[in-house]
Structure formats: C-alpha cells, structure tokens
C-alpha cells in the first residue's frame, strides 16, 4: 500500500511542472495586463486568459507568443486609446522565445472554466448554400461585419475594427468557444462592447462555422 | 439563390409583422441585399433620409427616461465605436461602413425622426426599421428604460426635438 502511494506521489510530482505556472509569467509581468484566474482583481489591460484552454488552439498560441500579430487594431476594449483608435497598451506585445512560449502555451491550455461544454459544434463544414445563408446572417441580420474584419468574395479584408479581427480566426479560436461566446458572452466577460444577441443553437452553430471559414489562402 | 429568396421572404414577413408600408418593404429588401461592409460604393449614394419608415414599435411616447451619468457611460462604451466620442458619426468603425453612422448632433435630420423611431432603431437595429444593417440591435443588451434614456441623450446631443 505504502509503496503504491509512493509511486503515485512520484508520478504526480513528475507531472506537476507541466501544470504549475511557468516562471516567465512573473518575470515578464504578464499579470500587469492579463488575468490568469477569475479571482484576480487587478485592472484588466489585456484579454482575460483564465479560460485560454477553452478558447485558443495551442499551435496558434505558441506562434503568437513568439511573434505576436495585431488582432485588435484599436486595442483591447479597456485601452484608453480605444475610442479614438490609437491603442496605448501592449502593442507591440511582449515576445517569448520558442522554449518559453512552449512552456507558457502548455500552461495556458490547462486553464478552463469549470462548466464549459464541449462538443457543441461538429467538424462538418457548411455546404455552399448554407454558407451563403450564414454570410447573410453575419453581414446583414446581425451586422457582425460592422465591427469585425472578414473577407469579401475575392478574399479582400473588409469590415469594422472595434472588435478583434475574425480573419483566420479558425486557426486561433476553438469552435465550441465561439459558439458559447455568441450564446453567453457574460460567462467570459462581464462587460464587453459587443451587443448581446439572442440566437438559437442552430443559428449560433451556423455563424460559428461561417466564422471558422473566414480564411485567407496560404 | 434559393436561400436568399427564403430570407427575403422571411424579411418581408417580418415587415408585415411591423405593419410597414409596402414601399418600405421593397426598401427593406433593398437594404437586405446590400450588406454593411464597405464594398459596393453604388449603395453609398442612396440617401436613407428619403425613407419614410414608420415601424410600429412599442415605445412609451410621453414618458421619456432621464439622462443620467449611466446613460452617458453606456453611450461612451458602446455607441462611440461607430458614432464617435462626441456623436458626430466618426467612430473607429465609420471609415469601414457602407452607410455612415448617423451624426447624433445634426438637428436637421433628427428633427424628422420621432422618439419612437429612434427607440425602434436602437432596440431592433437598422435592418428591422428600414435603416442600414450596420446599426446593430441592442434590445438584448439593454432594457427599454436604458434605451429610452439613450433616445433622450441623443436629443441632448442634437439639441433638438421631433417636429
């Protein structure tokens, strides 16, 4: 019995470093801007990361932390320069080395909301007809394009900039996360600048799949 | 194309629901066909001023809510994205939209709109009231009282009343 407990302990402690917070987060001052737990109360100057494991695709995270790109052209919603379109915080963003980024990404992918439901959106892409319908929802019925960049028929970027760009967001965001964001944004953000929509599951799935399909050809 | 037709029929149905005049339904259909991202410059020429949309939205006419500090904050947090910090219609999204966001300081236009019409546009969004779809619907973000106070605030910005 005692031997088994010993073995278990050994396994746990050898696994622990993966789950523990990497020292880069303190050293690089990531907490000056981001929250890694919903219980943290510091001023939020960048997007919350305490549900990063539900939101992001790991490959994108690894890449972003090494060579950050601009997702929010006018800054995060709390940026003092947001209303005038001149962001003051986090652009350019802190950069990590490949190893640091791998450690931090692995850690970030362990951060989840306790009641986050997966399996809401399947992997089957929209048929051509349904996609055209979903594009209508995105551009006309809900006016998403007024605040978010997407691609037009010839692949040119167009759309508003107050929301994060949705171009290539399928490489960045998990489908279930987009779905839940559209249905219950308050679970992730107590007060965003995006309107709350009242859409059924079917509509939310269609729009999610449409968002995932906004991709530039490489 | 089938799908587009279906959506068009649906919108026409909604228009009936609001008892909008048939001409407006035609215009609604037009607006549905034109999107909201800055793509087709031909639509820019179409002046929304000429649309006599009279949607039948339930808005208490006389009892208009007071403008509070919260009203100003709501406007600053949400509406400025398109309407600009002082309501001039020059928010950060404005250069990217086909139809420019309304200048909320312009009495000339806003005098031609009733409080009910402004209330309807904010609550149901541009598309539902014969205006451009880039004006989103805020009816699930704010309660009616907040929307009424936003109408009052816009009246303050334009320093005008419905004629």
């Amino acid at each position: 019995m005692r031997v088994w407990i010993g073995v278990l302990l050994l396994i746990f402690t050898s696994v622990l470093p993966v789950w523990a917070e990497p020292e880069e987060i303190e050293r690089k001052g990531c907490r000056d801007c981001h929250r890694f737990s919903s219980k943290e109360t510091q001023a939020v100057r960048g997007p919350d990361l305490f549900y990063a494991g539900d939101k992001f695709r790991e490959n994108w995270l690894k890449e972003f932390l090494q060579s950050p790109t601009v997702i929010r052209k006018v800054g995060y919603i709390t940026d003092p320069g947001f209303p005038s379109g001149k962001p003051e915080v986090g652009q350019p963003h802190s950069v990590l080395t490949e190893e640091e980024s791998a450690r931090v990404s692995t850690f970030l992918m362990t951060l989840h909301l306790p009641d986050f439901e997966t399996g809401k959106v399947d992997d089957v892409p929209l048929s051509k007809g349904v996609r055209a319908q979903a594009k209508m929802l995105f551009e006309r019925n809900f006016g998403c394009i007024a605040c978010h960049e997407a691609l037009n028929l010839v692949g040119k970027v167009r759309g508003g900039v107050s929301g994060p760009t949705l171009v290539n967001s399928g490489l960045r965001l998990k489908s279930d996360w987009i779905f839940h964001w559209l249905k219950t944004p308050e679970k992730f953000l107590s007060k965003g600048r995006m309107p709350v929509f009242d859409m059924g599951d079917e509509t939310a799935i269609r729009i999610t799949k449409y968002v995932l399909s906004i991709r530039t050809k490489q | 194309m089938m799908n587009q037709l279906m959506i068009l029929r649906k919108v026409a149905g909604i228009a009936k629901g609001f008892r909008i005049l048939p001409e407006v339904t035609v215009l609604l259909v037009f607006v549905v066909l034109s999107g909201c991202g800055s793509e087709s410059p031909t639509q820019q020429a179409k002046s929304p001023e000429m649309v006599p949309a009279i949607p039948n939205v339930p808005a208490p006419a006389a009892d208009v809510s007071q403008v509070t500090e919260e009203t100003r904050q709501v406007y600053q947090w949400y509406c400025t994205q398109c309407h600009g910090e002082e309501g001039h219609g020059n928010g950060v999204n404005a250069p990217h939209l086909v139809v420019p966001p309304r200048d909320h300081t312009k009495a000339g236009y806003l005098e031609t709109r009733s409080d009910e019409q402004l209330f309807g546009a904010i609550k149901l969004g541009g598309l539902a009231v014969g205006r451009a779809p880039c004006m989103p619907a805020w009816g699930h973000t704010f309660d009616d009282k907040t929307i009424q106070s936003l109408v009052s605030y816009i009246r303050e910005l334009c320093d005008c009343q419905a004629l």
Side-chain angles (χ1 to χ4, degrees):
Chain A
M1 186 64 190
R2 230 175 255 167
V3 176
W4 281 114
I5 291 174
V7 168
L8 275 177
L9 264 177
L10 202 83
I11 290 173
F12 273 131
T13 44
S14 63
V15 167
L16 204 62
V18 173
W19 296 81
E21 183 174 306
E23 54 87 24
E24 287 82 11
I25 290 181
E26 272 319 300
R27 183 160 52 81
K28 294 270 186 174
C30 310
R31 271 204 179 73
D32 288 351
C33 301
H34 298 288
R35 297 195 298 169
F36 293 82
S37 149
S38 58
K39 294 186 182 69
E40 289 168 21
T41 54
Q42 77 268 32
V44 176
R45 301 166 72 213
D48 278 332
L49 297 177
F50 57 79
Y51 47 81
D54 298 322
K55 179 174 180 180
F56 300 112
R57 297 185 189 255
E58 188 165 7
N59 283 338
W60 178 84
L61 264 184
K62 278 191 188 142
E63 191 58 39
F64 174 84
L65 293 173
Q66 290 172 66
S67 44
T69 51
V70 173
I71 301 150
R72 298 164 183 82
K73 281 193 177 157
V74 300
Y76 186 62
I77 50 169
T78 57
D79 197 303
F82 179 98
S84 58
K86 296 183 191 71
E88 295 166 18
V89 179
Q91 292 186 7
H93 193 267
S94 329
V95 176
L96 300 180
T97 65
E98 193 178 343
E99 296 85 69
E100 289 171 338
S101 162
R103 270 197 298 277
V104 171
S105 299
T106 308
F107 167 70
L108 284 174
M109 292 309 288
T110 67
L111 304 180
H112 296 280
L113 288 188
D115 57 348
F116 188 83
E117 243 184 286
T118 56
K120 279 288 181 188
V121 184
D122 61 62
D123 291 335
V124 186
L126 297 176
S127 68
K128 220 173 156 194
V130 179
R131 185 173 189 275
Q133 228 174 356
K135 188 173 192 285
M136 283 261 218
L137 292 172
F138 185 88
E139 297 185 359
R140 280 96 171 175
N141 299 55
F142 294 102
C144 318
I145 192 88
C147 302
H148 292 284
E149 283 183 348
L151 296 173
N152 69 5
L153 289 173
V154 293
K156 216 176 127 224
V157 175
R158 63 155 176 164
V161 291
S162 70
T165 180
L166 295 179
V167 174
N168 290 327
S169 56
L171 303 172
R172 172 171 171 259
L173 303 173
K174 286 185 173 173
S175 47
D176 285 321
W177 189 83
I178 301 176
F179 173 88
H180 289 297
W181 168 258
L182 294 175
K183 295 280 291 183
T184 51
E186 69 282 358
K187 282 196 178 169
F188 306 98
L189 188 62
S190 57
K191 194 177 166 225
R193 294 189 192 243
M194 172 162 150
V196 177
F197 295 108
D198 178 36
M199 54 174 91
D201 283 13
E202 207 50 50
T203 305
I205 290 171
R206 278 190 186 179
I207 295 183
T208 298
K209 288 186 177 182
Y210 178 75
V211 168
L212 294 172
S213 74
I214 306 171
R215 198 177 280 207
T216 50
K217 291 185 192 75
Q218 255 93 31
Chain B
M1 197 54 211
M2 270 314 281
N3 294 320
Q4 294 191 350
L5 278 175
M6 269 167 62
I7 291 191
L8 288 184
R9 234 175 267 142
K10 238 193 197 153
V11 170
I14 294 171
K16 253 184 241 144
F18 282 112
R19 276 181 277 149
I20 300 178
L21 309 167
E23 311 86 81
V24 180
T25 309
V26 172
L27 237 137
L28 250 179
V29 167
F30 171 79
V31 177
V32 170
L33 281 173
S34 61
C36 148
S38 57
E39 197 168 28
S40 20
T42 43
Q43 271 128 33
Q44 210 133 21
K46 194 94 189 172
S47 164
E49 254 101 336
M50 310 190 310
V51 191
I54 311 166
N56 199 348
V57 256
D63 166 46
V64 184
S65 270
Q66 280 212 317
V67 176
T68 62
E69 190 43 41
E70 200 195 323
T71 315
R72 288 168 215 280
Q73 278 170 13
V74 165
Y75 191 92
Q76 283 303 314
W77 186 252
Y78 297 95
C79 315
T80 51
Q81 293 175 75
C82 295
H83 292 284
E85 291 176 270
E86 266 115 45
H88 290 298
N90 58 348
V92 293
N93 291 326
H96 307 282
L97 304 179
V98 173
V99 178
R102 270 298 152 196
D103 182 340
H104 287 157
T105 65
K106 260 211 177 132
Y109 171 74
L110 288 165
E111 276 172 356
T112 69
R113 310 295 287 163
S114 68
D115 288 351
E116 290 83 349
Q117 285 172 321
L118 300 184
F119 181 93
I122 301 170
K123 182 170 168 128
L124 305 172
L127 186 58
V129 300
R131 286 286 176 278
C134 0
M135 167 62 193
W138 296 94
H140 298 286
T141 311
F142 313 123
D143 57 19
D144 285 2
K145 201 162 165 276
T146 306
I147 298 177
Q148 281 168 50
S149 75
L150 284 166
V151 171
S152 309
Y153 182 55
I154 292 168
R155 291 292 178 211
E156 213 178 279
L157 286 174
C158 70
D159 194 14
C160 75
Q161 293 303 320
L163 290 179

